[in-house]
Amino acid sequence: MRFEVITLFPELFEVLDLGLLGKAKDAGAIEVTTITPRHFAQDKHRTVDDAPYGGGSGMVLMPGPFAAAIDHLDTERGGAPTHRVLLTPQGAPFSQSHAHRFSKLETLTLVCGRYEGFDERIRSFVDEEVSLGDFVLLGGETAALAVIEATARLLPGVLGNQDSAADESHADGLLEYPQYTRPEVFRGRAVPDVLRSGNHAAIARWRRKESLRRTLERRPELLEGAELSEEDRVLLDEIASET
Ligand code: ADE
């Protein structure tokens, strides 16, 4: 899958050379191309922002260099389709369902704003807007990195073990169950007996119940959107009677 990033700080994306994503790049499972709108600025100072119409403090990113960067990427791709996403705190909250949808694309183009704001007409160049959460960053880059990482790890061959993407938190709308490894007792805290029982059915039931309990305690709103079985209802009743 190809990720294209329009950013004033391409160096920030060098972190994608590290770890599993670096391996995925080397193996050709993902490709990351960055382009800076500054390259398409019209003056010798490579200016990409200007004062806001109507006055006020701060500068606003100009639409021209962003539009030129988008056109340049379209040409480089030979007109093949892409899906363009603008990173902004005004976008829809990014979630695992976005990552799943994006992971089916050939190409995803991420547009990062910076500073106090961007010209409203930049919005008309994109297909959707996504936010990393209800807080304000200095720009869209950290959000774009999160989108790339969450999307890329769903691609075949990026994670060593494909099962780990199926089991983890949010994969089925619930938070993941607690995990343990050795030692059996650590600073007085023991691993739950059932996990050492070798009884696979009992382990699966315990994990599902703890996944439901954790979601109920920490993110109850997720339970409303999750697909719950009859057995899940039984487990939830058990949890309710325990507390
Ligand atoms: N740019 C600035 N803040 C952001 C946020 N919370 N999400 C995405 N892009 C942003």
Side-chain angles (χ1 to χ4, degrees), residues 17 22 62 67-68 79-80 93 96 110 136-137 164 167 171 184 188 230 237 240:
D17 291 336
M62 300 150 68
Q96 193 66 16
L110 298 163
V136 182
L137 301 164
S164 33
D167 255 16
E184 211 169 294
E230 276 307 306
D237 284 346

Side-chain angles (χ1 to χ4, degrees), residues 37 48 60-70 118-122 125:
V48 291
V60 175
L61 291 170
M62 300 150 68
F66 280 79
I70 284 173
F118 48 80
D119 188 288
E120 185 66 15
R121 291 163 291 187
I122 290 177
F125 311 146

Side-chain angles (χ1 to χ4, degrees), residues 64-193:
F66 280 79
I70 284 173
D71 292 346
H72 176 91
L73 289 169
D74 284 348
T75 307
E76 194 177 271
R77 231 184 296 110
T82 189
H83 184 74
R84 297 193 195 95
V85 174
L86 179 68
L87 287 315
T88 159
Q90 295 180 19
F94 182 65
S95 68
Q96 193 66 16
S97 62
H98 287 92
H100 274 285
R101 183 157 51 83
F102 295 165
S103 72
K104 310 276 188 269
L105 299 166
E106 289 285 290
T107 305
L108 180 68
T109 305
L110 298 163
V111 184
C112 305
R114 271 264 140 183
Y115 310 127
E116 285 84 359
F118 48 80
D119 188 288
E120 185 66 15
R121 291 163 291 187
I122 290 177
R123 294 208 138 92
S124 65
F125 311 146
V126 303
D127 300 299
E128 68 180 292
E129 301 183 17
V130 161
S131 168
L132 198 56
D134 290 338
F135 46 82
V136 182
L137 301 164
L138 287 171
E141 282 77 7
T142 320
L145 283 167
V147 169
I148 293 171
E149 186 164 326
T151 303
R153 62 186 291 290
L154 297 176
L155 297 171
V158 173
L159 285 187
N161 175 1
Q162 275 303 302
D163 287 349
S164 33
D167 255 16
E168 71 210 359
S169 291
H170 297 291
D172 62 356
L174 300 181
L175 302 184
E176 199 188 13
Y177 50 79
Q179 300 261 38
Y180 295 87
T181 185
R182 286 186 288 190
E184 211 169 294
V185 180
F186 180 71
R187 298 194 178 176
R189 292 164 177 263
V191 174
D193 287 338

Side-chain angles (χ1 to χ4, degrees), residues 24-79:
K25 279 176 82 173
D26 291 342
I30 63 166
E31 178 195 343
V32 182
T33 301
T34 56
I35 186 157
T36 173
R38 214 173 275 293
H39 186 77
F40 303 97
Q42 295 293 319
D43 64 340
K44 68 171 196 276
H45 301 293
R46 301 238 162 266
T47 307
V48 291
D49 56 2
D50 205 341
Y53 273 110
S57 65
M59 299 290 272
V60 175
L61 291 170
M62 300 150 68
F66 280 79
I70 284 173
D71 292 346
H72 176 91
L73 289 169
D74 284 348
T75 307
E76 194 177 271
R77 231 184 296 110

